[in-house]
Amino acid sequence: MGAKMSSFGSDKPAPWPPAKQPDERLATFAGGCFWSVELAFQRLPGVVATCVGYAQGSTPNPTYEQVCSGRTGHTEAVQLIYRPAEVSFDELCTAFLNKIDPKQKGGQGNDMGSQYRTGIYWHDDEQQKVAQARLAAIPGCAVEAEPVREFWPAEEYHQQYLEKGGRFGRKQCAAKGCNDPIRCYG
């Protein structure tokens, strides 16, 4: 069976991760709908690559439709490769926490459901310490803090979705340092 096509590409999972250099690390964040969170991270100097996908669930290699059903346990997430010499994990957490409402439970904005819950999923002890300290400092924080269990890349058409134009064909700038407002659906 062939892959369905959208105006942005295939419904096959995106290839991920690319080869990392020795000075690069992975980080994984979930902040509601993954499109706007990805664009915020794309704009950060020191972030080398981003991939939207599905984290923390029980179904191997889920589809968008399966995740949206709420039955797989996944949350929409962004995994990124960054250079700690250019941007620290703490700075990534700051950008993330400035993008979301860390006190909102069960989603972000109008996107509600387990697939839209928020989380910082660490890859090593240093990230764990930073994530736990940052979240502990927020009274009433609803952001999960867990080791990353699994990350499955989303379908290719979801990757860099807002940069490509989103639902309405209005491309958004992903240039480093850009601070234009992010339109959630394009």
Side-chain angles (χ1 to χ4, degrees), residues 4 6 10 13 20 23 27-28 31 36 40 50-51 55 64 66-67 81 93 104 110 116 135 179 181:
K4 291 185 297 186
S6 76
S10 166
K20 289 187 332 225
D23 65 335
T28 305
S36 66
T50 60
C51 181
Y64 182 69
Q66 289 172 319
V67 171
I81 296 174
C93 288
Q104 186 174 352
N110 293 327
Y116 296 120
L135 298 180
N179 60 6

Side-chain angles (χ1 to χ4, degrees), residues 91-102:
E91 290 169 315
L92 294 174
C93 288
T94 296
F96 172 70
L97 292 168
N98 287 339
K99 178 72 183 98
I100 66 163
D101 175 354

Side-chain angles (χ1 to χ4, degrees), residues 93-175:
C93 288
T94 296
F96 172 70
L97 292 168
N98 287 339
K99 178 72 183 98
I100 66 163
D101 175 354
K103 296 181 180 184
Q104 186 174 352
K105 296 179 181 178
Q108 287 291 293
N110 293 327
D111 293 324
M112 298 301 294
S114 63
Q115 72 272 25
Y116 296 120
R117 69 189 187 276
T118 56
I120 301 175
Y121 306 113
W122 62 77
H123 292 259
D124 59 37
D125 292 342
E126 178 187 344
Q127 288 183 359
Q128 177 183 1
K129 289 176 190 169
V130 171
Q132 289 177 330
R134 293 298 303 271
L135 298 180
I138 302 170
C141 185
V143 179
E144 293 179 343
E146 303 174 353
V148 66
R149 293 194 301 265
E150 192 73 61
F151 178 83
W152 298 97
E155 297 80 354
E156 181 63 40
Y157 67 88
H158 287 294
Q159 307 302 325
Q160 293 79 46
Y161 185 75
L162 297 179
E163 181 184 10
K164 295 175 192 172
R167 286 187 184 161
F168 306 112
R170 293 174 34 208
K171 293 181 180 184
Q172 296 186 58
C173 180

Side-chain angles (χ1 to χ4, degrees), residues 16-21 24-27 46-50 79-83:
W16 184 261
K20 289 187 332 225
Q21 300 300 315
E24 297 173 345
R25 302 286 179 270
L26 282 174
V47 172
V48 177
T50 60
Q79 192 166 83
L80 56 95
I81 296 174
Y82 70 103
R83 292 189 184 113

Side-chain angles (χ1 to χ4, degrees), residues 49-82:
T50 60
C51 181
V52 298
Y54 316 114
Q56 306 308 93
S58 58
T59 302
N61 202 23
T63 65
Y64 182 69
E65 290 76 19
Q66 289 172 319
V67 171
C68 286
S69 76
R71 294 189 301 264
T72 68
H74 291 88
T75 185
E76 290 191 13
V78 178
Q79 192 166 83
L80 56 95
I81 296 174
Y82 70 103

